Structures are given as structure tokens and as C-alpha cells.
Amino acid sequence: MKNQILRYSFSGVIVSLVHLLVGITFSEITSFPISLVNSFAYIFATAFGYIVHSFFSFKSHVSKKNFLRYIQVIILSIFFATCFSFLLGFF
């Protein structure tokens, strides 16, 4: 159990760094608003995190069906977060 927690923590740090690097890179090469850049980086890092956690943290198999369902939930959560941000006037 202790090793799994360490693997999960290490994977989380790597996924966070991937999110940061993708966001910085994408913002440097495009002129898109930072909210759109962050959404793209979030989706990319989340997909990367799913794969890393499946193979490294939990040592399970990645299935296409579960992965697509996971991505759909993430995209839906971004949609609702964006709508909520508009309602609060953050954009």
C-alpha cells in the first residue's frame, strides 16, 4: 500500500508538470486566450494521467471504453466549469 501511494504521488507530480509544460508551450505558439490554452492542457494532462496512473500507479490495463468514458467526463466538467465562470463574470 505504501509503494502504491508513493507511485500515485510521483505520477501526480509528473502529470502536473506535463499540464504546466503543455500550457506554457501552447500559449507561446498560439494567440489563444489563456482559458482555452489551460483547457487544452488540462485535457491533455488528464489523458496522460489516466494512462500513467493505470500502468504505473495501479498497474492495471487501459481499456479504450473506460478511457473514452473518462475523457467524456473530463470534457463535460470543463464545459460546466466554463459556463459557471461565464456566469460569475470571469471571462
CSV table of all heavy atoms in Angstrom, one decimal, residues 31-82:
chain,number,residue,atom,x,y,z
A,31,SER,N,-2.0,32.4,-30.1
A,31,SER,CA,-2.6,33.6,-29.5
A,31,SER,C,-3.9,33.4,-28.9
A,31,SER,O,-4.7,34.3,-28.8
A,31,SER,CB,-2.6,34.7,-30.6
A,31,SER,OG,-3.5,34.3,-31.7
A,32,PHE,N,-4.2,32.1,-28.5
A,32,PHE,CA,-5.5,31.8,-27.9
A,32,PHE,C,-5.6,32.4,-26.5
A,32,PHE,O,-4.5,32.5,-25.8
A,32,PHE,CB,-5.7,30.3,-27.9
A,32,PHE,CG,-5.8,29.6,-29.2
A,32,PHE,CD1,-5.3,28.4,-29.5
A,32,PHE,CD2,-6.6,30.2,-30.2
A,32,PHE,CE1,-5.4,27.8,-30.7
A,32,PHE,CE2,-6.7,29.6,-31.5
A,32,PHE,CZ,-6.1,28.4,-31.7
A,33,PRO,N,-6.8,32.6,-26.0
A,33,PRO,CA,-6.9,33.1,-24.6
A,33,PRO,C,-6.4,32.0,-23.7
A,33,PRO,O,-6.5,30.8,-23.9
A,33,PRO,CB,-8.4,33.3,-24.5
A,33,PRO,CG,-9.0,33.3,-25.8
A,33,PRO,CD,-8.0,32.5,-26.7
A,34,ILE,N,-5.9,32.5,-22.5
A,34,ILE,CA,-5.3,31.6,-21.6
A,34,ILE,C,-6.3,30.5,-21.1
A,34,ILE,O,-5.9,29.4,-20.7
A,34,ILE,CB,-4.6,32.4,-20.4
A,34,ILE,CG1,-3.7,31.4,-19.6
A,34,ILE,CG2,-5.6,33.0,-19.5
A,34,ILE,CD1,-2.5,31.0,-20.4
A,35,SER,N,-7.6,30.9,-21.0
A,35,SER,CA,-8.6,29.9,-20.5
A,35,SER,C,-8.7,28.8,-21.5
A,35,SER,O,-8.8,27.6,-21.1
A,35,SER,CB,-9.9,30.6,-20.3
A,35,SER,OG,-10.3,31.2,-21.5
A,36,LEU,N,-8.6,29.0,-22.8
A,36,LEU,CA,-8.7,28.0,-23.8
A,36,LEU,C,-7.4,27.1,-23.8
A,36,LEU,O,-7.4,25.9,-23.9
A,36,LEU,CB,-8.9,28.6,-25.2
A,36,LEU,CG,-9.1,27.6,-26.3
A,36,LEU,CD1,-10.3,26.7,-26.1
A,36,LEU,CD2,-9.2,28.3,-27.6
A,37,VAL,N,-6.3,27.8,-23.6
A,37,VAL,CA,-5.0,27.1,-23.5
A,37,VAL,C,-5.0,26.2,-22.3
A,37,VAL,O,-4.5,25.0,-22.4
A,37,VAL,CB,-3.8,28.1,-23.4
A,37,VAL,CG1,-2.5,27.4,-23.1
A,37,VAL,CG2,-3.7,28.9,-24.8
A,38,ASN,N,-5.4,26.7,-21.2
A,38,ASN,CA,-5.5,25.8,-20.0
A,38,ASN,C,-6.4,24.7,-20.1
A,38,ASN,O,-6.1,23.6,-19.7
A,38,ASN,CB,-5.8,26.7,-18.8
A,38,ASN,CG,-5.7,25.9,-17.5
A,38,ASN,OD1,-4.7,25.2,-17.3
A,38,ASN,ND2,-6.7,26.0,-16.6
A,39,SER,N,-7.5,24.9,-20.8
A,39,SER,CA,-8.5,23.8,-21.0
A,39,SER,C,-7.8,22.7,-21.9
A,39,SER,O,-8.0,21.5,-21.6
A,39,SER,CB,-9.7,24.3,-21.7
A,39,SER,OG,-10.4,25.1,-20.9
A,40,PHE,N,-7.1,23.1,-22.9
A,40,PHE,CA,-6.4,22.1,-23.8
A,40,PHE,C,-5.4,21.4,-23.0
A,40,PHE,O,-5.3,20.1,-23.0
A,40,PHE,CB,-5.8,22.8,-25.0
A,40,PHE,CG,-4.9,21.9,-25.8
A,40,PHE,CD1,-5.5,21.0,-26.7
A,40,PHE,CD2,-3.5,22.0,-25.7
A,40,PHE,CE1,-4.7,20.1,-27.4
A,40,PHE,CE2,-2.7,21.2,-26.4
A,40,PHE,CZ,-3.3,20.2,-27.3
A,41,ALA,N,-4.6,22.1,-22.2
A,41,ALA,CA,-3.5,21.5,-21.4
A,41,ALA,C,-4.1,20.5,-20.3
A,41,ALA,O,-3.6,19.5,-20.1
A,41,ALA,CB,-2.7,22.6,-20.7
A,42,TYR,N,-5.3,20.9,-19.8
A,42,TYR,CA,-6.0,20.1,-18.8
A,42,TYR,C,-6.4,18.8,-19.4
A,42,TYR,O,-6.2,17.7,-18.8
A,42,TYR,CB,-7.1,20.9,-18.2
A,42,TYR,CG,-8.0,20.1,-17.2
A,42,TYR,CD1,-7.5,19.9,-16.0
A,42,TYR,CD2,-9.2,19.6,-17.6
A,42,TYR,CE1,-8.3,19.1,-15.1
A,42,TYR,CE2,-10.0,18.9,-16.7
A,42,TYR,CZ,-9.5,18.6,-15.4
A,42,TYR,OH,-10.3,17.9,-14.6
A,43,ILE,N,-7.0,18.9,-20.6
A,43,ILE,CA,-7.5,17.6,-21.3
A,43,ILE,C,-6.3,16.7,-21.6
A,43,ILE,O,-6.3,15.5,-21.4
A,43,ILE,CB,-8.3,18.0,-22.5
A,43,ILE,CG1,-9.6,18.6,-22.1
A,43,ILE,CG2,-8.5,16.7,-23.4
A,43,ILE,CD1,-10.4,19.2,-23.3
A,44,PHE,N,-5.2,17.3,-22.1
A,44,PHE,CA,-4.0,16.6,-22.5
A,44,PHE,C,-3.4,15.9,-21.2
A,44,PHE,O,-3.1,14.7,-21.2
A,44,PHE,CB,-3.0,17.5,-23.1
A,44,PHE,CG,-1.8,16.7,-23.6
A,44,PHE,CD1,-1.8,16.2,-24.9
A,44,PHE,CD2,-0.7,16.6,-22.8
A,44,PHE,CE1,-0.7,15.5,-25.3
A,44,PHE,CE2,0.4,15.9,-23.2
A,44,PHE,CZ,0.4,15.3,-24.5
A,45,ALA,N,-3.3,16.7,-20.2
A,45,ALA,CA,-2.7,16.2,-18.9
A,45,ALA,C,-3.6,15.1,-18.3
A,45,ALA,O,-3.1,14.1,-17.7
A,45,ALA,CB,-2.4,17.3,-17.9
A,46,THR,N,-4.9,15.3,-18.4
A,46,THR,CA,-5.8,14.3,-17.8
A,46,THR,C,-5.7,13.0,-18.5
A,46,THR,O,-5.7,11.9,-17.9
A,46,THR,CB,-7.2,14.8,-17.8
A,46,THR,OG1,-7.2,16.1,-17.1
A,46,THR,CG2,-8.2,13.9,-17.2
A,47,ALA,N,-5.6,13.0,-19.9
A,47,ALA,CA,-5.5,11.8,-20.7
A,47,ALA,C,-4.2,11.2,-20.3
A,47,ALA,O,-4.1,9.9,-20.2
A,47,ALA,CB,-5.6,12.1,-22.1
A,48,PHE,N,-3.1,11.9,-20.3
A,48,PHE,CA,-1.8,11.4,-19.9
A,48,PHE,C,-1.8,10.8,-18.5
A,48,PHE,O,-1.3,9.7,-18.3
A,48,PHE,CB,-0.8,12.6,-20.0
A,48,PHE,CG,0.6,12.2,-19.6
A,48,PHE,CD1,1.4,11.4,-20.5
A,48,PHE,CD2,1.2,12.5,-18.4
A,48,PHE,CE1,2.7,11.0,-20.1
A,48,PHE,CE2,2.4,12.2,-18.0
A,48,PHE,CZ,3.2,11.4,-18.9
A,49,GLY,N,-2.5,11.5,-17.6
A,49,GLY,CA,-2.6,11.0,-16.2
A,49,GLY,C,-3.3,9.7,-16.1
A,49,GLY,O,-3.0,8.8,-15.3
A,50,TYR,N,-4.4,9.5,-16.9
A,50,TYR,CA,-5.1,8.3,-16.9
A,50,TYR,C,-4.2,7.1,-17.3
A,50,TYR,O,-4.2,6.1,-16.6
A,50,TYR,CB,-6.3,8.4,-17.9
A,50,TYR,CG,-7.1,7.1,-18.0
A,50,TYR,CD1,-8.0,6.7,-17.0
A,50,TYR,CD2,-6.9,6.2,-19.1
A,50,TYR,CE1,-8.7,5.5,-17.1
A,50,TYR,CE2,-7.6,5.1,-19.2
A,50,TYR,CZ,-8.5,4.7,-18.2
A,50,TYR,OH,-9.2,3.5,-18.3
A,51,ILE,N,-3.4,7.3,-18.3
A,51,ILE,CA,-2.5,6.3,-18.8
A,51,ILE,C,-1.4,6.0,-17.8
A,51,ILE,O,-1.2,4.8,-17.4
A,51,ILE,CB,-2.0,6.7,-20.2
A,51,ILE,CG1,-3.1,6.7,-21.2
A,51,ILE,CG2,-0.9,5.7,-20.6
A,51,ILE,CD1,-2.7,7.3,-22.5
A,52,VAL,N,-0.8,7.1,-17.3
A,52,VAL,CA,0.3,6.9,-16.3
A,52,VAL,C,-0.2,6.2,-15.0
A,52,VAL,O,0.4,5.2,-14.5
A,52,VAL,CB,0.9,8.2,-15.9
A,52,VAL,CG1,1.8,8.1,-14.7
A,52,VAL,CG2,1.7,8.8,-17.1
A,53,HIS,N,-1.4,6.6,-14.5
A,53,HIS,CA,-1.9,6.0,-13.3
A,53,HIS,C,-2.3,4.6,-13.5
A,53,HIS,O,-2.1,3.7,-12.6
A,53,HIS,CB,-3.1,6.9,-12.7
A,53,HIS,CG,-2.6,8.1,-12.0
A,53,HIS,ND1,-1.7,8.1,-11.0
A,53,HIS,CD2,-3.0,9.4,-12.3
A,53,HIS,CE1,-1.5,9.4,-10.6
A,53,HIS,NE2,-2.3,10.2,-11.4
A,54,SER,N,-2.9,4.3,-14.7
A,54,SER,CA,-3.3,2.9,-15.0
A,54,SER,C,-2.1,2.0,-15.0
A,54,SER,O,-2.2,0.9,-14.4
A,54,SER,CB,-4.1,2.9,-16.3
A,54,SER,OG,-5.3,3.6,-16.2
A,55,PHE,N,-1.1,2.4,-15.7
A,55,PHE,CA,0.1,1.5,-15.9
A,55,PHE,C,1.0,1.5,-14.7
A,55,PHE,O,1.5,0.5,-14.3
A,55,PHE,CB,0.8,1.8,-17.1
A,55,PHE,CG,0.2,1.4,-18.4
A,55,PHE,CD1,-0.1,2.3,-19.4
A,55,PHE,CD2,-0.2,0.1,-18.6
A,55,PHE,CE1,-0.7,1.9,-20.6
A,55,PHE,CE2,-0.8,-0.4,-19.7
A,55,PHE,CZ,-1.0,0.6,-20.7
A,56,PHE,N,1.3,2.7,-14.2
A,56,PHE,CA,2.3,2.8,-13.1
A,56,PHE,C,1.8,2.8,-11.7
A,56,PHE,O,2.3,2.0,-10.9
A,56,PHE,CB,3.1,4.1,-13.4
A,56,PHE,CG,4.3,4.3,-12.4
A,56,PHE,CD1,5.4,3.5,-12.5
A,56,PHE,CD2,4.2,5.4,-11.5
A,56,PHE,CE1,6.4,3.7,-11.6
A,56,PHE,CE2,5.3,5.6,-10.6
A,56,PHE,CZ,6.4,4.7,-10.7
A,57,SER,N,0.8,3.6,-11.4
A,57,SER,CA,0.3,3.7,-10.1
A,57,SER,C,-0.5,2.5,-9.6
A,57,SER,O,-0.3,1.9,-8.5
A,57,SER,CB,-0.6,4.9,-9.9
A,57,SER,OG,0.1,6.1,-10.2
A,58,PHE,N,-1.4,2.0,-10.5
A,58,PHE,CA,-2.3,0.9,-10.1
A,58,PHE,C,-2.0,-0.4,-10.8
A,58,PHE,O,-2.6,-1.4,-10.5
A,58,PHE,CB,-3.8,1.4,-10.4
A,58,PHE,CG,-4.2,2.6,-9.7
A,58,PHE,CD1,-4.5,3.7,-10.4
A,58,PHE,CD2,-4.1,2.7,-8.3
A,58,PHE,CE1,-4.9,4.9,-9.8
A,58,PHE,CE2,-4.5,3.9,-7.7
A,58,PHE,CZ,-4.9,5.0,-8.4
A,59,LYS,N,-1.1,-0.3,-11.8
A,59,LYS,CA,-0.7,-1.5,-12.6
A,59,LYS,C,-1.9,-2.3,-13.1
A,59,LYS,O,-2.0,-3.5,-12.9
A,59,LYS,CB,0.2,-2.4,-11.7
A,59,LYS,CG,1.5,-1.7,-11.4
A,59,LYS,CD,2.5,-2.6,-10.7
A,59,LYS,CE,3.8,-1.8,-10.4
A,59,LYS,NZ,4.9,-2.6,-9.9
A,60,SER,N,-2.8,-1.6,-13.8
A,60,SER,CA,-3.9,-2.2,-14.4
A,60,SER,C,-3.9,-1.9,-15.9
A,60,SER,O,-3.0,-1.3,-16.4
A,60,SER,CB,-5.2,-1.7,-13.8
A,60,SER,OG,-5.4,-0.3,-14.1
A,61,HIS,N,-4.8,-2.5,-16.6
A,61,HIS,CA,-4.8,-2.3,-18.0
A,61,HIS,C,-5.7,-1.2,-18.4
A,61,HIS,O,-6.7,-0.9,-17.8
A,61,HIS,CB,-5.3,-3.6,-18.7
A,61,HIS,CG,-4.5,-4.8,-18.4
A,61,HIS,ND1,-3.2,-5.0,-18.9
A,61,HIS,CD2,-4.6,-5.8,-17.5
A,61,HIS,CE1,-2.7,-6.1,-18.5
A,61,HIS,NE2,-3.5,-6.6,-17.6
A,62,VAL,N,-5.3,-0.5,-19.5
A,62,VAL,CA,-6.1,0.6,-20.0
A,62,VAL,C,-7.0,0.0,-21.1
A,62,VAL,O,-6.6,-0.7,-22.0
A,62,VAL,CB,-5.2,1.6,-20.7
A,62,VAL,CG1,-6.0,2.7,-21.4
A,62,VAL,CG2,-4.2,2.3,-19.7
A,63,SER,N,-8.3,0.3,-20.9
A,63,SER,CA,-9.3,-0.1,-21.9
A,63,SER,C,-9.8,1.1,-22.7
A,63,SER,O,-10.0,2.2,-22.1
A,63,SER,CB,-10.4,-0.9,-21.3
A,63,SER,OG,-11.3,0.0,-20.6
A,64,LYS,N,-10.0,0.9,-23.9
A,64,LYS,CA,-10.5,2.0,-24.8
A,64,LYS,C,-11.8,2.6,-24.3
A,64,LYS,O,-12.0,3.8,-24.2
A,64,LYS,CB,-10.6,1.6,-26.2
A,64,LYS,CG,-11.0,2.7,-27.2
A,64,LYS,CD,-11.0,2.1,-28.6
A,64,LYS,CE,-11.4,3.2,-29.6
A,64,LYS,NZ,-11.4,2.7,-31.0
A,65,LYS,N,-12.7,1.7,-23.9
A,65,LYS,CA,-14.0,2.1,-23.4
A,65,LYS,C,-14.0,2.9,-22.2
A,65,LYS,O,-14.6,4.0,-22.1
A,65,LYS,CB,-14.9,0.8,-23.1
A,65,LYS,CG,-16.3,1.1,-22.7
A,65,LYS,CD,-17.0,-0.2,-22.4
A,65,LYS,CE,-18.4,0.1,-21.8
A,65,LYS,NZ,-19.1,-1.1,-21.4
A,66,ASN,N,-13.2,2.5,-21.2
A,66,ASN,CA,-13.0,3.3,-19.9
A,66,ASN,C,-12.3,4.6,-20.2
A,66,ASN,O,-12.7,5.6,-19.6
A,66,ASN,CB,-12.3,2.5,-18.9
A,66,ASN,CG,-13.1,1.4,-18.3
A,66,ASN,OD1,-14.3,1.5,-18.4
A,66,ASN,ND2,-12.5,0.5,-17.6
A,67,PHE,N,-11.3,4.6,-21.1
A,67,PHE,CA,-10.6,5.8,-21.4
A,67,PHE,C,-11.5,6.8,-22.0
A,67,PHE,O,-11.5,8.0,-21.7
A,67,PHE,CB,-9.4,5.5,-22.3
A,67,PHE,CG,-8.6,6.7,-22.7
A,67,PHE,CD1,-7.8,7.4,-21.8
A,67,PHE,CD2,-8.7,7.2,-24.0
A,67,PHE,CE1,-7.1,8.5,-22.2
A,67,PHE,CE2,-8.0,8.3,-24.4
A,67,PHE,CZ,-7.2,9.0,-23.5
A,68,LEU,N,-12.3,6.4,-23.0
A,68,LEU,CA,-13.2,7.3,-23.7
A,68,LEU,C,-14.3,7.9,-22.7
A,68,LEU,O,-14.7,9.1,-22.8
A,68,LEU,CB,-13.9,6.7,-24.9
A,68,LEU,CG,-13.0,6.4,-26.0
A,68,LEU,CD1,-13.7,5.6,-27.1
A,68,LEU,CD2,-12.3,7.6,-26.6
A,69,ARG,N,-14.8,7.1,-21.8
A,69,ARG,CA,-15.7,7.5,-20.8
A,69,ARG,C,-15.1,8.5,-19.9
A,69,ARG,O,-15.7,9.5,-19.6
A,69,ARG,CB,-16.3,6.3,-20.0
A,69,ARG,CG,-17.4,6.7,-19.1
A,69,ARG,CD,-17.9,5.5,-18.2
A,69,ARG,NE,-18.1,4.3,-19.1
A,69,ARG,CZ,-18.0,3.1,-18.7
A,69,ARG,NH1,-17.5,2.8,-17.5
A,69,ARG,NH2,-18.2,2.1,-19.5
A,70,TYR,N,-13.9,8.3,-19.5
A,70,TYR,CA,-13.1,9.2,-18.6
A,70,TYR,C,-12.9,10.5,-19.3
A,70,TYR,O,-13.2,11.6,-18.7
A,70,TYR,CB,-11.8,8.5,-18.3
A,70,TYR,CG,-10.9,9.2,-17.3
A,70,TYR,CD1,-11.2,9.3,-16.0
A,70,TYR,CD2,-9.8,9.9,-17.8
A,70,TYR,CE1,-10.4,9.9,-15.1
A,70,TYR,CE2,-9.0,10.6,-16.9
A,70,TYR,CZ,-9.3,10.6,-15.5
A,70,TYR,OH,-8.5,11.3,-14.6
A,71,ILE,N,-12.6,10.5,-20.6
A,71,ILE,CA,-12.4,11.8,-21.3
A,71,ILE,C,-13.7,12.5,-21.5
A,71,ILE,O,-13.7,13.8,-21.3
A,71,ILE,CB,-11.7,11.5,-22.7
A,71,ILE,CG1,-10.3,11.0,-22.5
A,71,ILE,CG2,-11.7,12.7,-23.6
A,71,ILE,CD1,-9.4,11.9,-21.8
A,72,GLN,N,-14.8,11.8,-21.7
A,72,GLN,CA,-16.1,12.5,-21.8
A,72,GLN,C,-16.5,13.2,-20.5
A,72,GLN,O,-17.0,14.3,-20.5
A,72,GLN,CB,-17.2,11.4,-22.2
A,72,GLN,CG,-17.1,10.9,-23.6
A,72,GLN,CD,-18.1,9.8,-23.8
A,72,GLN,OE1,-18.6,9.2,-22.9
A,72,GLN,NE2,-18.3,9.5,-25.1
A,73,VAL,N,-16.2,12.6,-19.4
A,73,VAL,CA,-16.5,13.2,-18.1
A,73,VAL,C,-15.6,14.4,-17.9
A,73,VAL,O,-16.1,15.5,-17.4
A,73,VAL,CB,-16.3,12.2,-16.9
A,73,VAL,CG1,-16.3,12.9,-15.6
A,73,VAL,CG2,-17.3,11.1,-17.0
A,74,ILE,N,-14.4,14.3,-18.3
A,74,ILE,CA,-13.5,15.5,-18.2
A,74,ILE,C,-13.9,16.7,-19.0
A,74,ILE,O,-14.0,17.8,-18.6
A,74,ILE,CB,-12.0,15.1,-18.5
A,74,ILE,CG1,-11.5,14.0,-17.5
A,74,ILE,CG2,-11.1,16.3,-18.6
A,74,ILE,CD1,-11.6,14.4,-16.1
A,75,ILE,N,-14.3,16.4,-20.3
A,75,ILE,CA,-14.8,17.4,-21.2
A,75,ILE,C,-16.1,18.0,-20.6
A,75,ILE,O,-16.2,19.3,-20.7
A,75,ILE,CB,-14.9,16.9,-22.6
A,75,ILE,CG1,-13.6,16.6,-23.2
A,75,ILE,CG2,-15.7,17.9,-23.5
A,75,ILE,CD1,-13.6,15.8,-24.5
A,76,LEU,N,-16.9,17.2,-20.1
A,76,LEU,CA,-18.2,17.7,-19.5
A,76,LEU,C,-17.9,18.6,-18.3
A,76,LEU,O,-18.5,19.6,-18.1
A,76,LEU,CB,-19.1,16.5,-19.1
A,76,LEU,CG,-20.5,16.9,-18.7
A,76,LEU,CD1,-21.2,17.5,-19.9
A,76,LEU,CD2,-21.2,15.6,-18.3
A,77,SER,N,-16.9,18.2,-17.5
A,77,SER,CA,-16.6,19.0,-16.3
A,77,SER,C,-16.0,20.4,-16.8
A,77,SER,O,-16.3,21.4,-16.1
A,77,SER,CB,-15.6,18.3,-15.4
A,77,SER,OG,-14.3,18.2,-16.0
A,78,ILE,N,-15.2,20.4,-17.8
A,78,ILE,CA,-14.7,21.6,-18.3
A,78,ILE,C,-15.8,22.5,-18.8
A,78,ILE,O,-15.8,23.7,-18.6
A,78,ILE,CB,-13.6,21.4,-19.4
A,78,ILE,CG1,-12.3,20.9,-18.8
A,78,ILE,CG2,-13.3,22.7,-20.2
A,78,ILE,CD1,-11.3,20.5,-19.8
A,79,PHE,N,-16.7,21.9,-19.5
A,79,PHE,CA,-17.9,22.7,-20.0
A,79,PHE,C,-18.6,23.4,-18.9
A,79,PHE,O,-18.9,24.6,-19.0
A,79,PHE,CB,-18.8,21.8,-20.8
A,79,PHE,CG,-20.1,22.4,-21.2
A,79,PHE,CD1,-20.2,23.3,-22.3
A,79,PHE,CD2,-21.3,22.1,-20.6
A,79,PHE,CE1,-21.3,23.9,-22.7
A,79,PHE,CE2,-22.5,22.7,-20.9
A,79,PHE,CZ,-22.5,23.6,-22.0
A,80,PHE,N,-18.9,22.6,-17.9
A,80,PHE,CA,-19.7,23.2,-16.7
A,80,PHE,C,-18.9,24.2,-16.0
A,80,PHE,O,-19.4,25.3,-15.6
A,80,PHE,CB,-20.2,22.1,-15.8
A,80,PHE,CG,-21.4,21.4,-16.3
A,80,PHE,CD1,-21.3,20.0,-16.5
A,80,PHE,CD2,-22.6,22.0,-16.6
A,80,PHE,CE1,-22.4,19.3,-17.0
A,80,PHE,CE2,-23.7,21.4,-17.1
A,80,PHE,CZ,-23.6,20.0,-17.3
A,81,ALA,N,-17.6,24.0,-15.8
A,81,ALA,CA,-16.7,25.0,-15.2
A,81,ALA,C,-16.6,26.3,-16.0
A,81,ALA,O,-16.6,27.4,-15.4
A,81,ALA,CB,-15.3,24.4,-15.0
A,82,THR,N,-16.6,26.1,-17.3
A,82,THR,CA,-16.5,27.3,-18.2
A,82,THR,C,-17.8,28.1,-18.1
A,82,THR,O,-17.8,29.3,-18.0
A,82,THR,CB,-16.2,26.9,-19.6
A,82,THR,OG1,-15.0,26.2,-19.7
A,82,THR,CG2,-16.1,28.1,-20.5
